[in-house]
Amino acid sequence: MEPLVRVQNLVQSGVSQVPRQYIQPLESRPNNHSHDQNNNHTPQSSNINIPLIDLSNPNDTILLDSIRHACREWGAFHVINHGVPLKLLHDVRHVGRSFFEGCPLTDKLEYACDNASAASEGYGSKLLVANDDTVLDWRDYFDHHTLPLSRRNPSRWPSKLIPNYGKVLCDYSDEMKLLCEKLLGFISESLGLTSSYMKDAVGELYQNITISYYPPCPQPELTLGLQPHSDFGALTLLIQDDVEGLQVLKDGHWVTVQPLSEAIVVILSDQTQSVTSF
């Protein structure tokens, strides 16, 4: 097995060709429509995007209908007027970029995660231990364990490198918890259930916050930043920068999610799909 290196460090070294362990099989490469389900080669229009839902809509019927439709037809949607301060979204992007782009590798490695563990907190370049057959993602990341509070330990985060890092992440964690609970209530009501149904079914909320960094790739047609997957848990809440790349599967096609700076992407995860399959 070849030694693991950080993707950003690879790029900074000036590589002109992607190392073999990052090269996707032909059928899985970007813009190869043969990897769509059912081998349907028809490309999706760039004008298609996931639903956009305004959570401040005073008409509960319209709001709940919109959420029910988005969950059933897409499993993903944007939300605006979500209650999370827009400055906080900016600050999270800023501290994340500051860590990856403003700190020397030697300093970042002080916060390296345990590559032998799939659930390790910290700075890394993969979520699972690679073997000889594994294709690696073209990304680096920092994973934070944030909820329940017994898991939250800001001393493991790079606040010594970026003074406001810990406060920003804690504030973001708390705001995302509130938004998650709000969304679970709306999803429950959209199904004609009590607002607490999903929250009760999910139980104690576990939350990880992952900041992903996707360095420029010399051969982007050969790689993926993050391979196709579903997330365990109840909901995945994402904020994007201004570079598109996130995709969701819709009717057998991969549809690119167009970034909206003030919006948060909501993706139904495995637990929600299981609980609502009735």
Side-chain angles (χ1 to χ4, degrees):
M1 184 174 67
E2 296 184 13
L4 177 71
V5 297
R6 299 294 182 250
V7 178
Q8 185 181 18
N9 201 38
L10 269 179
V11 173
Q12 292 173 343
S13 72
V15 294
S16 59
Q17 293 184 322
V18 172
R20 64 173 181 82
Q21 64 265 39
Y22 295 94
I23 297 177
Q24 292 290 324
L26 181 61
E27 66 274 11
S28 300
R29 293 176 188 174
N31 302 319
N32 186 335
H33 299 291
S34 65
H35 77 279
D36 284 349
Q37 289 187 348
N38 304 319
N39 290 324
N40 190 329
H41 292 253
T42 304
Q44 286 286 336
S45 167
S46 61
N47 294 325
I48 297 177
N49 202 2
I50 60 175
L52 175 63
I53 297 177
D54 184 348
L55 295 186
S56 69
N57 192 323
N59 189 315
D60 289 345
T61 299
I62 293 176
L63 175 59
L64 296 179
D65 284 349
S66 297
I67 290 176
R68 180 169 57 250
H69 178 268
C71 290
R72 285 181 172 172
E73 298 300 321
W74 283 86
F77 50 95
H78 275 125
V79 292
I80 56 173
N81 294 317
H82 37 65
V84 181
L86 299 183
K87 183 181 183 303
L88 182 57
L89 301 186
H90 167 79
D91 289 346
V92 171
R93 295 185 184 103
H94 176 72
V95 298
R97 187 175 293 273
S98 296
F99 174 77
F100 285 104
E101 297 184 351
C103 298
L105 178 63
T106 52
D107 288 347
K108 288 186 285 197
L109 288 176
E110 293 183 14
Y111 300 91
C113 62
D114 178 4
N115 289 314
S117 171
S120 179
E121 182 176 26
Y123 169 54
S125 296
K126 58 181 179 179
L127 289 175
L128 296 175
V129 176
N131 57 47
D132 290 342
D133 298 322
T134 299
V135 179
L136 299 179
D137 298 324
W138 192 262
R139 75 158 185 158
D140 297 330
Y141 66 88
F142 199 115
D143 193 34
H144 313 75
H145 296 175
T146 46
L147 290 175
L149 290 176
S150 59
R151 300 172 70 233
R152 185 186 294 182
N153 185 356
S155 68
R156 297 174 181 166
W157 308 342
S159 296
K160 293 180 181 178
L161 305 178
I162 304 160
N164 62 335
Y165 193 103
K167 183 180 188 311
V168 169
L169 263 291
C170 288
D171 289 349
Y172 182 72
S173 169
D174 296 341
E175 290 287 348
M176 285 300 188
K177 177 186 178 183
L178 294 175
L179 177 58
C180 179
E181 292 174 341
K182 181 190 299 185
L183 288 166
L184 289 175
F186 286 147
I187 292 171
S188 298
E189 292 177 19
S190 77
L191 294 171
L193 304 169
T194 62
S195 61
S196 64
Y197 181 89
M198 285 295 301
K199 182 179 177 182
D200 293 341
V202 168
E204 185 175 26
L205 182 64
Y206 274 70
Q207 179 194 73
N208 283 13
I209 295 175
T210 302
I211 299 178
S212 294
Y213 185 77
Y214 304 96
C217 181
Q219 295 174 294
E221 71 279 4
L222 301 180
T223 66
L224 290 173
L226 188 59
Q227 298 176 58
H229 67 284
S230 63
D231 293 326
F232 63 87
L235 295 176
T236 297
L237 305 180
L238 298 174
I239 61 172
Q240 299 169 274
D241 59 13
D242 57 357
V243 179
E244 65 181 37
L246 174 67
Q247 293 184 319
V248 297
L249 191 64
K250 167 65 172 169
D251 298 332
H253 299 278
W254 290 104
V255 177
T256 298
V257 178
Q258 303 300 321
L260 300 175
S261 62
E262 297 185 358
I264 294 173
V265 180
V266 181
I267 300 176
L268 303 190
S269 301
D270 296 342
Q271 191 174 8
T272 296
Q273 182 176 0
S274 176
V275 169
T276 59
S277 297
F278 54 79

